[in-house]
Amino acid sequence: MADEVDLMSWIFEYFASSSTPEGELLMRPEDLMRAVVPVFPPSESHLVRDGYLRGERNPGDLRCSPSEFFMLFDVNNDGHISFKEYIFFVTLLSIPESSFYVAFKMFDTDDSGEIDKEEFKKVMALMRACNRQGANHRHGLRTGLKVNGSVENGGLVEYFFGKDGKDCLQLDKFVKFLRDLQDEMVRLEFAHYDYKLRGTILAKDFALSMVASADMTHLSNLLNRVDELNNKPHLKDVRITFEEFKSFAELRKKLQPLSLALFSYGKANGLLTQEDFQRAASHVCGVSLTDNVVEIIFHVFDSNRDGNLSLAEFVRVLHQRGRDIAQHVDTGIMVLD
């Protein structure tokens, strides 16, 4: 539990590249990007030849242009992001849209479709309380990190409510902001792997993006399967478009209904085919996956190399990226073996 309590603080300390004369650690916007986008070196780059270890994540070297969207978290325009603003950002990333909608409606007592600054702060505190790590930092304080003020007064509060804090926030505006934030994360990750700016990435890079969040106990085997794509003539030169990449990212958000459908179907009918997987993604989640994407998924998540999908492994790896399902795991509603 202690490790979980300190995880957010450790990540912040690891990536923060600046500090005040008083000793408060600070992130630059580019530090924030590196902290939240898990990546491997792109396969078309020179990084492996320059001495990077096989399978080494290098989050300190995100290969894409700076994001103007992330600059919004630098609320006082000093080029730095504090720990409390970082917590605010992580909370935003972890909010399932449906959960925020319910909380918003509860605090929108006059049913006007908007809430004021104080009501918003209560909603955000509630959202963070549902997350074990966020709850442990609900005041933005930790030994070794000098933080002034509470989390609720940081982040984008001024952006949403104006300098005087008297504007109101509409539900539709905030939901759009959350969706735009998720889309920006996907764009940054794709841009990182699109090393030669071709608008497409290799199948191997798509596979690396899928396993980038895997825990170390499974990572080596997964990377072996990623490397084996080089031995698949019909896959090694396949290139994945941004639309294909984005569709898979959308599927990650719906991992809970997808996994329920796949596990249920698998128990009733035995092995899952690639066509079964595509049908579940389309009919249950409303996400269309191309044949190339599904074939790469089946190749990477084939633990015993029998040509079939190892469904438990697929769900285990991807649930760390699926924010909705991560919330359920944290609260004990769903447990993955």
Side-chain angles (χ1 to χ4, degrees):
M1 183 65 179
D3 290 341
E4 293 170 354
V5 171
D6 288 338
L7 179 58
M8 290 176 69
S9 302
W10 182 88
I11 292 173
F12 185 86
E13 291 175 345
Y14 181 82
F15 289 99
S17 62
S18 186
S19 63
T20 66
E22 294 75 27
E24 178 185 355
L25 290 175
L26 298 170
M27 279 184 170
R28 295 186 174 91
E30 56 267 30
D31 298 332
L32 180 61
M33 284 193 290
R34 289 190 289 262
V36 298
V37 182
V39 293
F40 286 106
S43 63
E44 293 185 296
S45 74
H46 57 79
L47 295 178
V48 175
R49 293 192 298 274
D50 284 352
Y52 282 76
L53 297 176
R54 174 189 177 276
E56 179 184 358
R57 297 182 183 89
N58 189 37
D61 203 355
L62 188 65
R63 300 271 162 166
C64 58
S65 59
S67 168
E68 293 184 6
F69 197 95
F70 278 54
M71 294 296 291
L72 294 174
F73 293 88
D74 178 18
V75 292
N76 58 0
N77 296 314
D78 66 351
H80 295 96
I81 295 165
S82 69
F83 183 53
K84 66 181 181 182
E85 291 163 350
Y86 167 72
I87 295 175
F88 191 99
F89 175 77
V90 172
T91 302
L92 288 179
L93 280 182
S94 68
I95 295 176
E97 188 176 307
S98 57
S99 297
F100 183 85
Y101 180 84
V102 171
F104 191 103
K105 286 296 186 182
M106 289 301 296
F107 285 99
D108 179 17
T109 54
D110 60 357
D111 200 28
S112 63
E114 58 185 24
I115 56 177
D116 61 26
K117 178 180 176 180
E118 294 305 312
E119 291 168 334
F120 176 76
K121 287 159 64 174
K122 292 176 182 177
V123 172
M124 291 299 292
L126 178 61
M127 292 295 97
R128 193 165 48 260
C130 294
N131 179 288
R132 286 185 298 187
Q133 294 171 5
N136 285 307
H137 296 287
R138 58 186 176 274
H139 301 302
L141 301 174
R142 177 187 181 269
T143 303
L145 288 176
K146 297 183 179 180
V147 182
N148 298 316
S150 71
V151 175
E152 273 68 41
N153 288 322
L156 294 168
V157 173
E158 182 179 309
Y159 173 78
F160 289 135
F161 298 97
K163 289 186 178 296
D164 60 5
K166 294 182 179 180
D167 294 346
C168 288
L169 177 64
Q170 295 179 340
L171 175 60
D172 291 346
K173 177 182 178 180
F174 189 71
V175 168
K176 182 180 184 303
F177 179 87
L178 290 179
R179 291 173 180 172
D180 289 346
L181 177 60
Q182 296 286 351
D183 288 346
E184 181 70 353
M185 297 285 292
V186 174
R187 185 194 69 79
L188 288 171
E189 186 179 4
F190 184 86
H192 166 80
Y193 288 110
D194 185 15
Y195 187 76
K196 295 186 176 181
L197 305 179
R198 297 176 60 176
T200 58
I201 62 175
L202 284 172
K204 183 175 182 178
D205 286 318
F206 174 62
L208 286 173
S209 76
M210 285 195 293
V211 305
S213 295
D215 62 80
M216 295 303 294
T217 58
H218 300 93
L219 186 57
S220 181
N221 287 334
L222 288 167
L223 288 173
N224 285 337
R225 278 172 251 155
V226 171
D227 285 342
E228 288 169 7
L229 283 169
N230 293 328
N231 302 324
K232 299 281 185 178
H234 65 295
L235 284 179
K236 71 174 184 177
D237 294 324
V238 164
R239 302 196 70 88
I240 300 299
T241 67
F242 178 66
E243 287 305 313
E244 290 175 303
F245 191 85
K246 188 176 179 180
S247 292
F248 184 74
E250 187 65 26
L251 189 66
R252 284 200 306 260
K253 298 178 187 177
K254 302 175 180 179
L255 189 55
Q256 187 180 20
L258 176 69
S259 61
L260 177 61
L262 293 176
F263 276 118
S264 300
Y265 185 85
K267 286 183 178 180
N269 297 280
L271 296 176
L272 287 163
T273 67
Q274 294 185 27
E275 291 75 16
D276 295 331
F277 189 95
Q278 281 178 302
R279 187 172 64 256
S282 176
H283 293 183
V284 176
C285 303
V287 176
S288 178
L289 299 178
T290 64
D291 292 345
N292 282 337
V293 166
V294 174
E295 188 167 0
I296 295 168
I297 292 171
F298 269 62
H299 171 83
V300 172
F301 296 101
D302 176 10
S303 59
N304 58 5
R305 293 173 171 79
D306 64 355
N308 298 303
L309 179 70
S310 302
L311 185 53
E313 182 178 48
F314 171 77
V315 174
R316 182 190 302 116
V317 172
L318 265 67
H319 95 273
Q320 298 177 57
R321 292 285 300 268
R323 300 296 175 179
D324 280 358
I325 205 167
Q327 290 288 323
H328 294 303
V329 170
D330 276 349
T331 55
I333 295 174
M334 182 174 182
V335 178
L336 300 174
D337 295 329

